[in-house]
Amino acid sequence: MRKVRTVEMKRLTVDEFRKAEKLPLVVVLDNVRSMHNVGSVFRTADAFRAEAVCLCGITGIPPHPEIHKTALGAEDSVSWHHFATASEAVGHLHANGYLVIAVEQVEHSTKLQRFQAVGGEKYAIVVGNEVKGVCQEVVDLCDGCLEIPQLGTKHSLNVSVATGIVVYEFARQLLLQRINI
């Protein structure tokens, strides 16, 4: 077994990425404090061709050296928008036909492994602040909530890790099989 070199991977250029079919998913960051988490979300959004990232409230915006450190340039390939609040972003997404789902532990949440994405729908997921999660006001505006089952002693995951798990599940259901990866 030989590791594949980066030049052998035939990765898309930024221009090719912008023209490529996208996963019908927008990631909304609700007051994410860490620039490294923001950068990591951009990199995940690039890896799975998410449509866009919405940066809300105190969430940092590019250009920023700490975002770039973990995004590795994905902040240039992935479309992004800034909103004063996540509530404003959710309203904008609803007005544009998106089903908006918080990634949060709430009563009557849908466990991620039971979620079935529907082809032809547009989705947005909202992930929250490293300490407080998605604020209740935003949860109230969402069409539902997804919960990642956790089996250990902790009851939370790092926001960028949780985003990666959920984005992968959307990509697995809606995009990867169709583009034959």
Side-chain angles (χ1 to χ4, degrees), residues 50-77:
E51 192 176 305
V53 175
C54 293
L55 307 167
C56 305
I58 65 167
T59 304
I61 60 171
H64 193 286
E66 287 183 43
I67 292 173
H68 182 72
K69 182 177 181 177
T70 50
L72 296 177
E75 73 276 28
D76 298 326
S77 57

Short mmCIF file of all heavy atoms in Angstrom, two decimals, residues 50-77:
data_model
loop_
_atom_site.label_atom_id
_atom_site.label_comp_id
_atom_site.label_asym_id
_atom_site.label_seq_id
_atom_site.Cartn_x
_atom_site.Cartn_y
_atom_site.Cartn_z
N ALA A 50 -20.19 21.61 0.25
CA ALA A 50 -21.37 22.29 0.78
C ALA A 50 -21.58 23.59 0.01
O ALA A 50 -20.63 24.22 -0.47
CB ALA A 50 -21.21 22.58 2.27
N GLU A 51 -22.83 23.97 -0.09
CA GLU A 51 -23.19 25.14 -0.88
C GLU A 51 -22.61 26.44 -0.32
O GLU A 51 -22.12 27.28 -1.07
CB GLU A 51 -24.72 25.23 -0.90
CG GLU A 51 -25.30 26.18 -1.87
CD GLU A 51 -26.80 26.08 -1.85
OE1 GLU A 51 -27.33 24.97 -2.05
OE2 GLU A 51 -27.44 27.12 -1.62
N ALA A 52 -22.66 26.61 1.00
CA ALA A 52 -22.19 27.86 1.61
C ALA A 52 -22.08 27.71 3.11
O ALA A 52 -22.58 26.75 3.70
CB ALA A 52 -23.16 29.01 1.28
N VAL A 53 -21.45 28.71 3.72
CA VAL A 53 -21.36 28.83 5.17
C VAL A 53 -21.89 30.21 5.54
O VAL A 53 -21.53 31.21 4.90
CB VAL A 53 -19.90 28.67 5.67
CG1 VAL A 53 -19.80 28.93 7.16
CG2 VAL A 53 -19.35 27.29 5.31
N CYS A 54 -22.77 30.27 6.55
CA CYS A 54 -23.26 31.54 7.08
C CYS A 54 -22.57 31.79 8.41
O CYS A 54 -22.64 30.97 9.32
CB CYS A 54 -24.77 31.50 7.27
SG CYS A 54 -25.71 31.38 5.75
N LEU A 55 -21.93 32.92 8.52
CA LEU A 55 -21.19 33.31 9.72
C LEU A 55 -22.03 34.35 10.45
O LEU A 55 -22.31 35.41 9.91
CB LEU A 55 -19.83 33.88 9.31
CG LEU A 55 -19.02 32.97 8.38
CD1 LEU A 55 -17.86 33.73 7.76
CD2 LEU A 55 -18.56 31.73 9.11
N CYS A 56 -22.44 34.01 11.68
CA CYS A 56 -23.43 34.84 12.37
C CYS A 56 -22.91 35.36 13.71
O CYS A 56 -22.20 34.67 14.44
CB CYS A 56 -24.70 34.02 12.61
SG CYS A 56 -25.37 33.32 11.09
N GLY A 57 -23.34 36.58 14.03
CA GLY A 57 -23.01 37.17 15.32
C GLY A 57 -21.53 37.40 15.47
O GLY A 57 -20.89 37.99 14.60
N ILE A 58 -20.96 36.88 16.58
CA ILE A 58 -19.54 37.10 16.87
C ILE A 58 -18.61 36.18 16.08
O ILE A 58 -17.39 36.29 16.19
CB ILE A 58 -19.24 36.95 18.38
CG1 ILE A 58 -19.49 35.50 18.83
CG2 ILE A 58 -20.02 37.96 19.20
CD1 ILE A 58 -18.94 35.18 20.21
N THR A 59 -19.17 35.29 15.28
CA THR A 59 -18.34 34.38 14.48
C THR A 59 -17.41 35.20 13.59
O THR A 59 -17.86 36.12 12.90
CB THR A 59 -19.23 33.47 13.62
OG1 THR A 59 -20.15 32.78 14.46
CG2 THR A 59 -18.39 32.46 12.85
N GLY A 60 -16.14 34.85 13.60
CA GLY A 60 -15.16 35.56 12.79
C GLY A 60 -15.40 35.36 11.30
O GLY A 60 -16.01 34.37 10.89
N ILE A 61 -14.92 36.31 10.53
CA ILE A 61 -15.08 36.24 9.07
C ILE A 61 -13.72 36.37 8.39
O ILE A 61 -12.81 37.01 8.92
CB ILE A 61 -16.05 37.33 8.55
CG1 ILE A 61 -15.53 38.73 8.89
CG2 ILE A 61 -17.45 37.13 9.10
CD1 ILE A 61 -16.31 39.84 8.23
N PRO A 62 -13.58 35.76 7.23
CA PRO A 62 -12.34 35.93 6.46
C PRO A 62 -12.22 37.35 5.94
O PRO A 62 -13.24 38.01 5.78
CB PRO A 62 -12.50 34.95 5.30
CG PRO A 62 -13.57 34.00 5.72
CD PRO A 62 -14.48 34.79 6.63
N PRO A 63 -11.05 37.82 5.62
CA PRO A 63 -9.78 37.12 5.83
C PRO A 63 -9.34 37.25 7.28
O PRO A 63 -9.49 38.31 7.89
CB PRO A 63 -8.83 37.85 4.89
CG PRO A 63 -9.38 39.25 4.80
CD PRO A 63 -10.88 39.11 4.95
N HIS A 64 -8.81 36.19 7.81
CA HIS A 64 -8.30 36.16 9.18
C HIS A 64 -7.24 35.07 9.26
O HIS A 64 -7.51 33.94 8.84
CB HIS A 64 -9.44 35.90 10.17
CG HIS A 64 -9.07 36.15 11.58
ND1 HIS A 64 -8.25 35.31 12.29
CD2 HIS A 64 -9.39 37.17 12.42
CE1 HIS A 64 -8.09 35.80 13.50
NE2 HIS A 64 -8.76 36.92 13.61
N PRO A 65 -6.06 35.38 9.79
CA PRO A 65 -4.98 34.38 9.78
C PRO A 65 -5.32 33.10 10.56
O PRO A 65 -4.91 32.02 10.15
CB PRO A 65 -3.79 35.11 10.42
CG PRO A 65 -4.32 36.36 11.00
CD PRO A 65 -5.63 36.66 10.34
N GLU A 66 -6.09 33.20 11.63
CA GLU A 66 -6.43 31.99 12.39
C GLU A 66 -7.46 31.14 11.65
O GLU A 66 -7.43 29.91 11.76
CB GLU A 66 -6.93 32.35 13.79
CG GLU A 66 -5.82 32.83 14.70
CD GLU A 66 -6.32 33.12 16.10
OE1 GLU A 66 -7.10 32.32 16.64
OE2 GLU A 66 -5.91 34.15 16.65
N ILE A 67 -8.36 31.77 10.90
CA ILE A 67 -9.29 31.00 10.07
C ILE A 67 -8.49 30.31 8.97
O ILE A 67 -8.65 29.10 8.73
CB ILE A 67 -10.39 31.91 9.47
CG1 ILE A 67 -11.32 32.42 10.57
CG2 ILE A 67 -11.18 31.16 8.39
CD1 ILE A 67 -12.34 33.45 10.11
N HIS A 68 -7.61 31.04 8.34
CA HIS A 68 -6.82 30.49 7.24
C HIS A 68 -5.95 29.32 7.71
O HIS A 68 -5.74 28.35 6.95
CB HIS A 68 -5.95 31.56 6.59
CG HIS A 68 -5.16 31.07 5.44
ND1 HIS A 68 -5.74 30.76 4.22
CD2 HIS A 68 -3.83 30.76 5.32
CE1 HIS A 68 -4.81 30.31 3.40
NE2 HIS A 68 -3.65 30.30 4.04
N LYS A 69 -5.46 29.38 8.95
CA LYS A 69 -4.57 28.33 9.47
C LYS A 69 -5.23 26.96 9.40
O LYS A 69 -4.57 25.97 9.10
CB LYS A 69 -4.19 28.66 10.91
CG LYS A 69 -3.23 27.66 11.53
CD LYS A 69 -2.83 28.07 12.93
CE LYS A 69 -1.85 27.08 13.51
NZ LYS A 69 -1.39 27.48 14.84
N THR A 70 -6.53 26.87 9.68
CA THR A 70 -7.21 25.57 9.63
C THR A 70 -8.01 25.39 8.35
O THR A 70 -8.22 24.26 7.92
CB THR A 70 -8.13 25.37 10.85
OG1 THR A 70 -8.95 26.52 11.01
CG2 THR A 70 -7.32 25.13 12.11
N ALA A 71 -8.43 26.46 7.72
CA ALA A 71 -9.19 26.35 6.46
C ALA A 71 -8.29 25.99 5.29
O ALA A 71 -8.74 25.38 4.32
CB ALA A 71 -9.92 27.66 6.16
N LEU A 72 -7.03 26.37 5.37
CA LEU A 72 -6.05 26.10 4.31
C LEU A 72 -6.53 26.55 2.93
O LEU A 72 -6.33 25.89 1.93
CB LEU A 72 -5.71 24.60 4.26
CG LEU A 72 -5.02 24.04 5.51
CD1 LEU A 72 -4.80 22.55 5.35
CD2 LEU A 72 -3.71 24.76 5.77
N GLY A 73 -7.22 27.69 2.89
CA GLY A 73 -7.68 28.25 1.62
C GLY A 73 -9.13 27.94 1.30
O GLY A 73 -9.67 28.48 0.34
N ALA A 74 -9.78 27.07 2.07
CA ALA A 74 -11.18 26.74 1.80
C ALA A 74 -12.09 27.95 1.98
O ALA A 74 -13.17 28.00 1.41
CB ALA A 74 -11.65 25.59 2.71
N GLU A 75 -11.63 28.94 2.72
CA GLU A 75 -12.42 30.17 2.86
C GLU A 75 -12.50 30.93 1.54
O GLU A 75 -13.33 31.81 1.38
CB GLU A 75 -11.87 31.05 4.00
CG GLU A 75 -10.56 31.75 3.70
CD GLU A 75 -9.29 30.93 3.92
OE1 GLU A 75 -9.33 29.68 3.82
OE2 GLU A 75 -8.25 31.55 4.19
N ASP A 76 -11.64 30.57 0.59
CA ASP A 76 -11.67 31.17 -0.73
C ASP A 76 -12.53 30.38 -1.72
O ASP A 76 -13.03 30.94 -2.68
CB ASP A 76 -10.25 31.29 -1.30
CG ASP A 76 -9.35 32.18 -0.46
OD1 ASP A 76 -9.86 33.16 0.12
OD2 ASP A 76 -8.15 31.87 -0.35
N SER A 77 -12.69 29.09 -1.49
CA SER A 77 -13.47 28.26 -2.41
C SER A 77 -14.94 28.20 -2.03
O SER A 77 -15.81 28.19 -2.89
CB SER A 77 -12.89 26.84 -2.50
OG SER A 77 -12.84 26.23 -1.24
#
